Amino acid sequence: MSSSAGLVARDLASVWHPFTQHAGWPTDDPLVVERAEGMYLYDVDGRGYLDGVSSLWVSVHGHRVPEIDDAVRAQLDRIAHSTFLGLTHEPGIVLAEKLLATAPPGLSRVFYCGDGATAVEAALKMAYQSAAQRGEDRPLFVGVREGYHGDTLGAVSVGAIDTFHATYRQILLETRSIASPAFARSGAEASLAELERILDAEGERVCAVAVEPMVQGAGGMLTHDATFLRGVRELCTRHGALMLADEVATGLGRTGRMWAVEHADVTPDLLTLGKGVTAGYLPLSAVLANEAVYESFLGSPESGRTFFHGHTYTGNPLACAAAIANLDLMEARGTVAAAARAGDRLGAILEPLRALDGVVDIRRCGTMTGIEVASLETRTGFEVCRRARAQGVLIRPLGDVVVLMPPLAMGDADIDLLGSVVVDAVREVVG
Ligand SMILES: *Cc1c(COP(=O)(O)O)cnc(C)c1O
């Protein structure tokens, strides 16, 4: 068994981590995770940590879920991978049926991808090509400021978080951005007014408007009102642009509903999902499309209407098997309703923090929670997370926003522990 220090030294010699400044990383005391059980991760020294961010927003029932483990093993005994280009397989078919059975009415087709970003990428290309095949020239996209849709260039184009995206501005798709509808910022009305101005001026050139429904996650858990989504839906319909709801973070129960668009009772034309779909087991994402978009791609082979897009591992059967087992468990256990209750419980524990001057805001929708702390010094959010880790709770900040995102099925005792450790850590740092 390798020691933590030995593995960290070897890591530093050969690995490059995402979203990580390597010049400073060694001093942050990197944690080497070895295994997990339920809601807890264990490092190579055998120390346990409560998983307070669902291993980056993906875990649903916790780790090492017997039913999902078994489903993946059973699939391994059949086949690990077969291409989805022109061929098919039962796990891919069953998963599509199950996703559509839960999806907002009107979405009728499932296109698989591997990560959230690649699903967004596919959706953007679908929107553009679909318009072109209806005889319309729509090369423009609209995104929302503080939005995040992943790190490939198309996804970066419709995102608008300066820290992540400003560097690449010169090499992106042509995109207009509207103000964030977040309560603390412009509010839904101002955002919608901006969208209306853009669409009135050049709506016939816009193929899609991309939004993160109810919560802009990576932007700092910025929550907004359902009226924003209803307004976007109406304006998109009026101007012939597709509404793309990116539910990679918010989908599959995260906001206390199966889909965040359910809070507004709207159906987008395209919906992207990812993160929690395999309950944190394997990379898988998808675009759900409505029948009109799908039909705009039909034609003879010579018509050029094929969607020439896909990935080597598109529809990977192991990932589909994990996702099917996840959705079955969610249904059998009423996980979405449980997540809504877990979120409310966590919110109540955090409520006293609002009285602190050093706490700017607490935002929450379902289990998606952000505590914005004042930037007293550099890395205030990081300091809160460092103290929580010393108390056996793993969380990860977004700048000055301390993010809590427990697995949907986290029980009361663990929710209470997560909440109380974070309350103490926030008090220590900004109280
Ligand atoms: C995380 C995220 C993505 C990107 O997903 P990856 O799997 O990291 O590529 C896209 N959209 C939203 C809303 C996300 O939160």
Side-chain angles (χ1 to χ4, degrees):
M1 181 89 55
S2 304
S3 74
S4 173
L7 285 168
V8 169
R10 283 165 56 196
D11 180 297
L12 289 170
S14 53
V15 182
W16 189 350
H17 291 266
F19 283 87
T20 300
Q21 176 44 262
H22 275 249
W25 193 52
T27 57
D28 289 348
D29 188 17
L31 187 69
V32 186
V33 174
E34 186 181 68
R35 62 193 177 85
E37 196 64 58
M39 302 294 159
Y40 286 80
L41 298 159
Y42 294 87
D43 67 14
V44 285
D45 301 319
R47 241 197 110 172
Y49 301 87
L50 184 62
D51 186 359
V53 284
S54 297
S55 293
L56 216 62
W57 316 3
V58 296
S59 182
V60 175
H61 311 280
H63 299 269
R64 299 193 60 205
V65 184
E67 291 86 346
I68 306 178
D69 290 359
D70 288 347
V72 173
R73 282 196 198 100
Q75 183 58 41
L76 263 178
D77 287 338
R78 290 181 206 110
I79 186 168
H81 185 66
S82 165
T83 182
F84 225 50
L85 276 60
L87 302 185
T88 193
H89 50 67
E90 190 168 345
I93 297 164
V94 172
L95 178 59
E97 290 169 347
K98 285 184 186 286
L99 286 170
L100 294 176
T102 78
L107 295 172
S108 57
R109 300 285 163 175
V110 179
F111 186 91
Y112 293 115
C113 298
D115 296 277
T118 54
V120 170
E121 210 71 26
L124 298 176
K125 286 176 69 179
M126 272 178 197
Y128 175 73
Q129 189 175 342
S130 178
Q133 288 169 179
R134 290 191 316 264
E136 296 170 13
D137 181 29
R138 293 177 176 265
L140 254 186
F141 296 90
V142 176
V144 182
R145 285 196 281 283
E146 316 308 330
Y148 179 81
H149 301 282
D151 299 325
T152 54
L153 286 174
V156 166
S157 301
V158 287
I161 299 176
D162 280 348
T163 313
F164 303 157
H165 302 150
T167 308
Y168 309 105
R169 205 153 281 149
Q170 287 213 67
I171 55 170
L172 301 179
L173 301 172
E174 200 182 355
T175 303
R176 305 285 180 259
S177 65
I178 60 171
S180 167
F183 289 126
R185 309 204 178 202
S186 67
E189 249 172 64
S191 292
L192 289 172
E194 213 174 336
L195 179 59
E196 187 162 18
R197 272 198 301 280
I198 289 169
L199 293 178
D200 280 345
E202 47 190 350
E204 76 287 347
R205 296 184 66 235
V206 172
C207 72
V209 178
V211 301
E212 289 167 88
M214 300 308 285
V215 188
Q216 294 182 285
M221 299 300 140
L222 299 169
T223 51
H224 57 253
D225 195 275
T227 56
F228 174 66
L229 300 173
R230 287 194 279 269
V232 170
R233 175 68 277 176
E234 200 182 302
L235 287 166
C236 282
T237 303
R238 195 189 308 162
H239 290 275
L242 300 184
M243 177 179 181
L244 162 55
D246 179 1
E247 295 239 22
V248 169
T250 55
L252 294 141
R254 265 292 154 210
T255 69
R257 300 283 190 90
M258 191 64 178
W259 307 103
V261 291
E262 290 175 18
H263 292 276
D265 218 1
V266 302
T267 297
D269 302 288
L270 296 166
L271 183 153
T272 48
L273 62 96
K275 290 201 166 94
V277 68
T278 65
Y281 271 67
L282 288 155
L284 181 74
S285 65
V287 185
L288 308 188
N290 67 22
E291 203 63 10
V293 170
Y294 173 77
E295 277 178 358
S296 68
F297 284 81
L298 300 180
S300 65
E302 306 76 45
S303 67
R305 288 172 173 252
T306 305
F307 189 40
F308 288 109
H309 182 104
H311 301 281
T312 311
Y313 282 90
T314 289
N316 174 257
L318 291 173
C320 290
I324 292 165
N326 173 39
L327 292 177
D328 285 348
L329 273 186
M330 287 180 71
E331 193 182 347
R333 295 179 177 173
T335 303
V336 177
R341 289 192 297 272
D344 288 346
R345 187 177 183 98
L346 183 61
I349 299 169
L350 301 177
E351 201 54 33
L353 286 179
R354 284 191 198 276
L356 299 186
D357 287 340
V359 172
V360 178
D361 195 11
I362 300 178
R363 298 180 285 267
R364 187 182 64 78
C365 187
T367 57
M368 299 182 79
T369 312
I371 305 164
E372 186 171 340
V373 291
S375 324
L376 301 178
E377 55 201 86
T378 51
R379 304 222 292 170
T380 319
F382 174 82
E383 185 56 26
V384 170
C385 296
R386 202 180 62 80
R387 284 170 194 250
R389 178 174 146 187
Q391 300 305 315
V393 168
L394 271 191
I395 50 177
R396 185 183 159 79
L398 284 162
D400 292 328
V401 179
V402 177
V403 174
L404 308 186
M405 181 104 56
L408 301 187
M410 188 177 275
D412 289 353
D414 286 333
I415 289 285
D416 293 353
L417 177 68
L418 172 63
S420 64
V421 164
V422 169
V423 164
D424 289 348
V426 171
R427 280 190 202 282
E428 280 172 31
V429 175
V430 301

